[in-house]
Amino acid sequence: MINLTRGVPADESFPLEALRECAAEAVQTDVLRYGDGYGYRPLREYLAQSHGVGLEQVMVTNGSLQFVDLLGLSVLSRGDVVLVESPTYDRTLTLLRRHGLVPVGVPLEADGVNLEAFEAAVREHKPKMFYVVADFQNPSGSVMSLAKRRRVVELAEQYGFWVLEDSPYRPLRYSGQPVPSLRELNPKVVLQMSSYSKQIGPGVRVGYMLGDAEVLKPLAKAANDTYISAGFTGQAIANAFLRRGLLEGQLEQLRQLYAPRLNAMVAALNQHLPGALEAAPEGGFFLSITLPEQHTMPNLLAKAAEVGLNLSDGRGFFVNPSEGERFLRLPFCAMSEVEIQDGVQRLAGLLRG
């Protein structure tokens, strides 16, 4: 079975020896006590200094996705509209709905959301928040252009809604030039979250948010009310890893590991499914294709299993699932180049059949 579903880091990417040393350093008395809802203070201090913000503007929790849950528990209210890209990260949709929030999808283009549709949605729905993965988007792999980023934060300030910028893939650029983050363009309206799951390893469960102190305050209270304090041991391991100056070397190793796999996926698609890939991403974990008109997810998934191919159901990435019947996300980072070639070849056989 070739697994073309979850976008997970490759097992061989984990810096095991360094983490063993960091773990030994981290397990001290202070990480075995309860703490406050903001997270492990030494790590917050490191992040605050690194990003040039005050300590009260940094919060650390159990992976970045937890912030969506905490926002639903504190800052947002049932019935509030949250704009999302269409397609968007499926787990975010799950959490928004769990809290009675109303996700509204905005069509996504190769360079970010369709601005005309976005402005219309802002005026019509008066959203409280816009959730966006601007860099190497999950699930499409797209990167929002600088012009669109500037317009999004302008509209956020004009209409009074928050931008929740999810940035786990931003450091994983394998070619091309970076674009300023939304937070860099206007920190007054942007809550930026990221995690070390893709950079160090998911098991440490460390995510962080940079944002307005008055927003983080109720988030920290919700965290404290929910789980008393986060997993300080994992946060202390990440803190030791960062303070030893190991992150940039780790990121460079990830780029060297993942770039050939992205290139292999692009080459395989161009060889076996010419024209299916509209644009190749310059980083991240994913790219995406649109299935030919005669194929839809319901019939493709069953056929794929028969040839030993495990695919993600594209319908789960859309507010309106019917819009995703021909959408296919393809991860590449946890696959060998041989598996990528074989998987795309099997997929092409199904789509030609």
Side-chain angles (χ1 to χ4, degrees):
M1 179 68 72
I2 294 196
N3 196 358
L4 282 170
T5 54
R6 296 183 63 201
V8 297
D11 286 351
E12 60 269 30
S13 73
F14 301 145
L16 297 179
E17 287 301 320
L19 288 177
R20 287 189 185 99
E21 296 178 7
C22 292
E25 176 185 326
V27 184
Q28 306 295 332
T29 304
D30 63 332
V31 303
L32 300 179
R33 301 189 186 105
Y34 287 121
D36 64 41
Y38 280 97
Y40 187 55
R41 186 182 179 98
L43 178 55
R44 292 176 59 223
E45 291 172 343
Y46 176 90
L47 290 167
Q49 183 177 15
S50 298
H51 292 278
V53 299
L55 185 64
E56 71 283 357
Q57 294 176 274
V58 181
M59 182 174 170
V60 186
T61 189
N62 305 314
S64 59
L65 189 63
Q66 183 121 49
F67 286 111
V68 180
D69 192 42
L70 295 175
L71 285 163
L73 289 170
S74 58
V75 175
L76 301 172
S77 302
R78 295 184 69 85
D80 283 349
V81 170
V82 178
L83 299 184
V84 298
E85 298 161 301
S86 186
T88 190
Y89 183 30
D90 53 346
R91 293 182 187 271
T92 295
L93 289 177
T94 297
L95 285 174
L96 294 176
R97 289 167 173 148
R98 182 180 295 173
H99 289 286
L101 302 165
V102 181
V104 172
V106 180
L108 187 65
E109 300 172 327
D111 64 343
V113 289
N114 179 299
L115 278 184
E116 184 177 347
F118 183 75
E119 294 191 35
V122 167
R123 290 192 297 270
E124 178 182 354
H125 297 286
K126 299 178 176 57
K128 291 294 181 67
M129 185 167 287
F130 171 42
Y131 170 80
V132 57
V133 186
D135 294 285
F136 313 119
Q137 201 245 15
N138 181 4
S140 71
S142 68
V143 174
M144 184 182 287
S145 68
L146 178 57
K148 288 190 174 183
R149 292 176 193 231
R150 284 174 171 157
R151 185 57 181 151
V152 164
V153 295
E154 285 175 3
L155 289 167
E157 188 160 18
Q158 179 181 350
Y159 287 92
F161 60 89
W162 289 102
V163 175
L164 179 58
E165 181 179 22
D166 196 358
S167 302
Y169 309 104
R170 184 172 170 80
L172 298 175
R173 172 174 283 279
Y174 316 132
S175 63
Q177 295 301 315
V179 185
S181 70
L182 291 158
R183 184 182 175 277
E184 288 171 327
L185 294 175
N186 191 339
K188 294 187 296 183
V189 298
V190 178
L191 306 171
Q192 185 181 49
M193 62 184 192
S194 188
S195 82
Y196 293 110
S197 294
K198 308 298 188 294
Q199 302 171 39
I200 299 176
V204 296
R205 302 312 304 136
V206 177
Y208 65 91
M209 177 176 281
L210 309 174
D212 185 276
E214 293 306 308
V215 175
L216 295 192
K217 189 181 298 182
L219 288 183
K221 184 179 186 306
N224 192 249
D225 291 343
T226 301
Y227 48 67
I228 305 179
S229 62
F232 279 12
T233 303
Q235 294 181 14
I237 292 172
N239 179 63
F241 192 87
L242 295 169
R243 289 182 181 274
R244 289 181 177 209
L246 299 174
L247 182 61
E248 190 47 52
Q250 168 68 2
L251 290 175
E252 184 54 37
Q253 290 185 48
L254 294 180
R255 296 180 191 117
Q256 292 178 14
L257 176 65
Y258 293 150
R261 297 181 180 188
L262 169 57
N263 294 337
M265 179 68 81
V266 171
L269 287 169
N270 288 338
Q271 177 184 354
H272 298 293
L273 289 169
L277 183 64
E278 292 185 16
E282 296 178 331
F285 267 45
F286 307 101
L287 49 75
S288 60
I289 64 172
T290 301
L291 301 176
E293 289 186 6
Q294 67 270 30
H295 293 280
T296 60
M297 272 296 155
N299 60 57
L300 181 63
L301 293 172
K303 292 179 181 178
E306 294 174 1
V307 298
L309 196 58
N310 196 11
L311 302 176
S312 291
D313 190 336
R315 295 172 292 182
F317 301 111
F318 290 79
V319 175
N320 301 312
S322 62
E323 296 177 10
E325 286 198 342
R326 294 172 53 216
F327 177 84
L328 181 60
R329 182 185 76 173
L330 297 172
F332 53 85
C333 285
M335 303 173 66
S336 70
E337 294 178 39
V338 172
E339 288 174 318
I340 290 169
Q341 176 74 16
D342 191 3
V344 172
Q345 195 166 358
R346 295 186 199 184
L347 175 63
L350 290 175
L351 297 181
R352 285 195 298 263

